[in-house]
Amino acid sequence: MANCFKIVVALTFAGSILVSCKSVVQQSENEPRVIKTAFKDKFYIGVAVNRQQAVGKDATGQNIIKQHFNSLSPENDLKWEKIHPKPEVYDFTAADAYVNFGTQNNMFTIGHTLVWHSQTPDWVFEDYKGKPLTREALLTRLEEHINTVVGRYKGKIKGWDVVNEALNEDGTLRDSKWLKIIGEDFIAKAFEFAQKADPEAELYYNDYNLYKAEKRAGAVRIIKSLKGKGIKITAVGEQAHYSLAEPDIATVEKTIIDFAATGVAVNFTELDINVLPDGGATNTADVSNTAQYSEKYNPYVKGLPVNVIDSLASRYGSLFRLFVKYDASIDRITFWGLTDGDSWLNDWPIRGRTNYPLLYNRDFTIKQPVKDAILKSLK
């Protein structure tokens, strides 16, 4: 993304995380009240929106998004199972609302995602008898899908997560149906089809845990392979589903350096910070990962203690100091959800928990200490 497009969100901050901690940090009359002012020309600040927000049923959330963010990602409504649920059947209702919301409010609008092993119906990979498609038939189906979806939003959606989560933790390709039927070049073909459908759109590879050396090396191989074939790839998205302690800042910095060295931008596309115990789940963001509920893994039902709020603010502050240091290599920071109540981390990897990973509290007030830490990252 060219520097002329780096227009950053205006986030007006008021309130705090909990009634019990409103006095923890007070708004200074002399500090900027909006992140746009403080982060001018650095990078986009994005947010993932759900259907209720996109169509306006969550009016409060939609108003906050319109006022305070300048980039949008859809949580689900551009995934294959939502937009193309059956052969020859497309449902653009929710996706159109999302895209219209972004374009009407002059936001850098993202398409998520074209190729993923999850949330893709079984019929995509099968013929009318339920048998696996041939390579040629699946490529034809993939190209038709990309032409239809990307073509519909040509010029409106500015960047696409073309391929999502194609790697195992060791950097090898995931044994998905895309790989089994098409072969290793399914990634290259998807990028080719997307580039042809909208030559002006930015094209991304998106994955979690790219801070891990082996998995990051796999992503670097994908980037170099695409570039070696003359296929467009604009950026890599590190999903950044982090915890209060992991990964450490030096590791995140190494991630930025390694990807920037390949000549692509580095985006942090699904940023949230899990403040809860892991519950024995493996260190991954795979949606299939689950663990058993226990009250000891849900300790903050009544609100976050002040010391945990301080830890969360410190963590965000450290990350944003790093983002500012490498702003020339970073185009976008996207939070994966607007409020804590919207976050997938309430139900993953353990259902029914109360998590606090985002900028906004459940009552739509900002987390004041987090806001202050983010602004101070520029000092």
Side-chain angles (χ1 to χ4, degrees):
M1 179 172 59
N3 288 336
C4 62
F5 286 116
K6 290 188 177 181
I7 307 165
V8 183
V9 61
L11 258 170
T12 303
F13 296 105
S16 63
I17 183 167
L18 293 170
V19 174
S20 61
C21 67
K22 283 186 177 179
S23 62
V24 173
V25 180
Q26 297 295 327
Q27 175 74 36
S28 169
E29 294 181 358
N30 296 322
E31 73 180 11
R33 297 183 65 245
V34 293
I35 285 183
K36 182 172 83 170
T37 301
F39 285 85
K40 185 178 180 181
D41 299 326
K42 294 295 183 184
F43 34 67
Y44 289 113
I45 300 294
V47 63
V49 301
N50 59 38
R51 182 174 297 188
Q52 298 295 98
Q53 293 158 351
V55 303
K57 289 185 178 180
D58 177 2
T60 302
Q62 190 183 74
N63 286 335
I64 291 173
I65 292 165
K66 287 193 293 186
Q67 294 169 22
H68 303 316
F69 294 85
N70 68 342
S71 179
L72 296 179
S73 294
E75 282 189 347
N76 287 298
D77 285 325
L78 278 161
K79 293 172 182 174
W80 201 310
E81 70 175 7
K82 299 294 184 181
I83 203 168
H84 193 180
K86 298 179 181 179
E88 310 301 328
V89 175
Y90 285 88
D91 183 356
F92 295 110
T93 306
D96 282 353
Y98 161 76
V99 174
N100 290 339
F101 178 44
T103 55
Q104 289 168 6
N105 291 282
N106 196 31
M107 297 179 180
F108 192 85
T109 305
I110 303 299
H112 174 80
T113 176
L114 296 172
V115 175
W116 191 24
H117 67 276
S118 185
Q119 292 184 252
T120 303
D122 288 340
W123 69 261
V124 173
F125 307 100
E126 299 171 351
D127 63 20
Y128 71 97
K129 293 182 179 180
K131 295 182 178 180
L133 291 178
T134 64
R135 166 186 161 89
E136 292 73 20
L138 184 53
L139 282 171
T140 298
R141 187 164 288 177
L142 175 60
E143 184 172 20
E144 185 272 336
H145 176 85
I146 290 176
N147 285 342
T148 301
V149 177
V150 176
R152 183 180 184 88
Y153 301 118
K154 184 177 181 179
K156 295 181 179 180
I157 286 182
K158 302 299 184 181
W160 284 95
D161 288 331
V162 179
V163 176
N164 194 53
E165 300 177 5
L167 293 170
N168 295 311
E169 296 300 283
D170 64 359
T172 60
L173 290 177
R174 182 189 293 267
D175 192 26
S176 68
K177 292 180 181 179
W178 297 109
L179 178 65
K180 288 178 179 178
I181 297 174
I182 295 176
E184 293 186 1
D185 65 337
F186 80 91
I187 297 174
K189 291 297 185 181
F191 274 84
E192 284 180 358
F193 298 154
Q195 181 177 353
K196 183 178 179 181
D198 187 353
E200 300 302 317
E202 296 186 357
L203 305 180
Y204 317 129
Y205 176 75
N206 192 59
D207 214 327
Y208 59 84
N209 284 0
L210 295 178
Y211 66 85
K212 295 183 176 181
E214 288 186 326
K215 193 167 190 179
R216 182 167 68 251
V220 167
R221 287 193 292 271
I222 289 172
I223 296 165
K224 290 182 175 180
S225 176
L226 291 173
K227 283 179 165 288
K229 295 179 174 68
I231 299 171
K232 179 179 180 178
I233 178 170
T234 311
V236 63
E238 155 65 342
Q239 291 183 10
H241 296 300
Y242 296 159
S243 72
L244 289 173
E246 296 182 352
D248 60 64
I249 292 300
T251 299
V252 181
E253 182 171 26
K254 180 70 164 96
T255 302
I256 297 171
I257 291 170
D258 285 356
F259 284 131
T262 69
V264 301
V266 188
N267 296 330
F268 290 81
T269 56
E270 303 183 18
L271 177 62
D272 48 30
I273 297 175
N274 188 354
V275 302
L276 301 182
D278 63 23
T282 56
N283 188 15
T284 175
D286 195 310
V287 293
S288 65
N289 190 33
T290 60
Q292 187 68 35
Y293 181 88
S294 171
E295 288 186 0
K296 68 181 180 179
Y297 299 133
N298 192 25
Y300 308 129
V301 175
K302 296 181 179 180
L304 281 183
V306 171
N307 67 307
V308 182
I309 296 169
D310 291 342
S311 295
L312 181 64
S314 177
R315 179 65 159 156
Y316 269 113
S318 296
L319 286 169
F320 269 82
R321 284 193 295 275
L322 184 67
F323 299 156
V324 168
K325 179 179 179 180
Y326 290 96
D327 70 289
S329 298
I330 297 172
D331 287 341
R332 174 169 51 93
I333 309 296
T334 294
F335 294 90
W336 202 244
L338 179 63
T339 75
D340 291 335
D342 300 320
S343 176
W344 73 305
L345 291 174
N346 294 301
D347 290 317
W348 182 94
I350 301 172
R351 295 190 64 83
R353 297 199 295 178
T354 305
N355 215 324
Y356 303 84
L358 297 169
L359 279 176
Y360 282 87
N361 210 16
R362 284 170 169 78
D363 64 359
F364 299 99
T365 58
I366 197 73
K367 290 184 175 75
Q368 186 75 27
V370 174
K371 165 261 185 175
D372 287 340
I374 289 173
L375 289 178
K376 289 177 182 177
S377 69
L378 288 166
K379 296 181 180 179

